[in-house]
Amino acid sequence: MTEPTRPPGFATTAIHHGYDPLAHHGALNPPLFLTSTYAFASAAEGAARFAGEAEGFVYSRVGNPTVAVLESRLAALEGGEAALATSSGVGALTALIWTLLKTGDHIVADQMLYGCTFGLFEHHLPRFGIQVTFADLTDPANLQAALAANTRLVFTETPTNPNMRLVDIAACADVCRRAGIRLVVDNTYCTPYLQRPLDLGADLVTHSATKYLGGHGDLLAGAVVGPKAIIDQLRFTGIKELNGACISAFDAFLILRGLKTLNLRMDRHSATAAKLAHDLEAHPAVAAVYYPGLDSHPQRKLAQQQMRAMGGMIALELKGGLEAGRNFMDRVKLATRAVSLGDAETLIQHPASMTHATYDPAERARHGFTDGLIRLSVGLEDYEDLREDLLGALSVTRKPT
Ligand code: 3LM
């Protein structure tokens, strides 16, 4: 057998990394280990495994062979040393924060975050003595200004959920590195196929694997990727003793299956979303479309630098504001009215009353997103059908009042 002359590409890694069928009776897919616990050959061996002196699994809250394949594959795809898979994206985030921070510490976060991340940061972490400063990280100078002596973590999404602002990962990583503070990037919207924050200098990547990584709307999961020493801490403190947010082996199996088509799906999501973003922007009922592939996006150049393609998420505002947006949502037939994203089905939702209802009206105004914003997660259906559905729903003339 000849040795490969180059490192495996993204798709090859997503399909093969960390698993050898011949070591598992030739089974093409990693076996699903449905077990909570693991037998020890002797008391001494069990004790050695618990002490970390012997290799081997002890209990599925901290490790499972099916989950381990997923973790090594996610680490390889993100270009990190190690990964921890969790029961949800929020589980990944709390494992990270509760493990790495303590009372008296400070976080700087971008001003626009997924609703429950915002809820955790704004409404709950202060109860444990952890303060969060929200800053507009689209300008890295604002990051420098927000840092304090007790800042331990900088957290951002990019593009931001729901309004598609971009944060310059390399520029923020530079500020963080000089200050000795960890930069964490939520890479849910992009997946490692479209954007690799660790390559750009981030220290850790988080995911809601519920979304594109799983890709089929049939599971909840999350992940953290980064240096092995930190991932070990998150596993043996965060998941083991703090939040218990371990992923099920079955969900890990489903994500492994989803990963096999991740690059194909992301290319298709991106291609269809790019066309629909143009169509929507050209429609007279539309006031604004937020999509990094549009020339009108203020950070188009940055998007081209740090993203391989522009992804499947679009935000838009209609000229008639909230009421027009609600009517639009009620008229679509093919797009499904639902939260979440990254599925084969196109999903449409209203952030202010759904995914981001954790922001009260004053917070929405302060953090910079409007009540009228509508979010689309463009699915894998035929572009022509989606176009007809969305433009048709926009074009219905209103009944005279
Ligand atoms: C949503 N988002 O519809 P889970 N990080 C990002 C996310 O978008 C999410 C999480 C973390 C949505 C979920 S809202 C009721 C439905 C950027 C989730 C959290 O815990 O796996 O849901 O991930 O935007």
Side-chain angles (χ1 to χ4, degrees):
M1 217 167 81
T2 54
E3 284 301 309
T5 57
R6 57 177 213 93
F10 189 93
T12 307
T13 303
I15 295 168
H16 292 283
H17 184 86
Y19 179 70
D20 177 7
L22 296 182
H24 297 86
H25 309 284
L28 185 65
N29 282 297
L32 177 51
F33 284 89
L34 291 179
T35 187
S36 52
T37 196
Y38 302 83
F40 309 131
S42 65
E45 196 212 16
R49 284 193 196 178
F50 262 83
E53 292 156 3
E55 287 284 306
F57 296 95
V58 297
Y59 191 61
S60 281
R61 187 175 345 105
V62 283
N64 170 287
T66 312
V67 174
V69 178
L70 171 65
E71 291 173 335
S72 78
R73 212 162 274 184
L74 289 176
L77 292 172
E78 283 286 5
E81 267 178 22
L84 174 76
T86 61
S87 60
S88 69
V90 170
L93 197 59
T94 54
L96 186 141
I97 285 171
W98 294 354
T99 304
L100 299 183
L101 273 71
K102 60 179 189 324
T103 301
D105 287 346
H106 175 243
I107 296 174
V108 175
D110 181 53
Q111 69 180 29
M112 198 64 248
L113 299 168
Y114 162 59
C116 294
T117 307
F118 172 73
L120 173 70
F121 283 9
E122 171 72 14
H123 301 138
H124 302 298
L125 289 185
R127 294 195 286 121
F128 299 94
I130 296 172
Q131 301 304 327
V132 183
T133 298
F134 296 97
D136 178 0
L137 299 189
T138 59
D139 181 354
N142 295 335
L143 171 57
Q144 185 66 55
L147 297 180
N150 58 343
T151 309
R152 296 283 168 268
L153 206 82
V154 172
F155 186 90
T156 191
E157 301 168 2
T158 180
T160 57
N161 184 356
N163 55 2
M164 305 302 289
R165 294 154 59 260
L166 260 63
V167 173
D168 184 334
I169 298 172
C172 288
D174 204 40
V175 174
C176 288
R177 195 170 39 249
R178 277 187 274 117
I181 296 166
R182 286 185 182 125
L183 174 64
V184 182
V185 176
D186 183 327
N187 204 24
T188 300
Y189 260 39
C190 280
T191 82
Y193 181 62
L194 298 188
Q195 173 174 281
R196 295 227 307 183
L198 301 179
D199 290 351
L200 297 168
D203 297 286
L204 292 158
V205 163
T206 59
H207 276 284
S208 169
T210 312
K211 311 298 185 308
Y212 292 107
L213 297 180
H216 296 78
D218 49 10
L219 60 94
L220 275 133
V224 186
V225 186
K228 183 169 184 314
I230 299 179
I231 297 300
D232 280 353
Q233 252 184 298
L234 303 190
R235 183 185 307 283
F236 295 110
T237 302
I239 294 290
K240 186 178 168 204
E241 296 177 1
L242 290 176
N243 73 358
C246 52
I247 189 173
S248 80
F250 185 61
D251 288 340
F253 178 91
L254 290 176
I255 298 170
L256 284 165
R257 172 168 151 148
L259 287 179
K260 294 184 193 195
T261 55
L262 180 62
N263 65 318
L264 300 175
R265 290 185 285 107
M266 294 313 291
D267 279 338
R268 172 68 177 247
H269 285 298
S270 299
T272 308
K275 287 190 269 186
L276 290 174
H278 277 108
D279 297 338
L280 290 166
E281 193 173 47
H283 195 281
V286 174
V289 178
Y290 306 100
Y291 183 72
L294 291 174
D295 288 336
S296 57
H297 193 285
Q299 295 159 295
R300 171 96 182 102
K301 200 158 154 260
L302 173 62
Q304 286 167 329
Q305 280 162 16
Q306 72 180 20
M307 296 165 69
R308 184 201 294 252
M310 299 303 132
M313 299 301 296
I314 298 176
L316 68 149
E317 284 175 78
L318 301 188
K319 284 190 180 144
L322 175 60
E323 200 206 330
R326 287 211 171 119
N327 288 338
F328 173 53
M329 281 182 62
D330 284 341
R331 283 193 218 109
V332 292
K333 294 199 170 64
L334 178 56
T336 303
R337 285 171 291 277
V339 297
S340 205
L341 58 111
D343 297 334
E345 296 79 4
T346 293
L347 307 179
I348 187 166
Q349 66 108 8
H350 175 233
S353 64
M354 296 175 187
T355 52
H356 291 68
T358 46
Y359 291 76
D360 67 27
E363 288 165 344
R364 286 204 288 279
R366 204 162 59 240
H367 291 254
F369 79 102
T370 59
D371 275 4
L373 197 78
I374 299 291
R375 191 187 74 181
L376 271 175
S377 169
V378 175
L380 301 174
E381 302 95 336
D382 293 291
Y383 158 68
E384 292 75 12
D385 295 330
L386 288 171
R387 182 175 194 277
E388 189 176 300
D389 188 41
L390 297 175
L391 297 193
L394 282 176
S395 298
V396 172
T397 46
R398 290 196 198 186
K399 287 189 198 123
T401 45

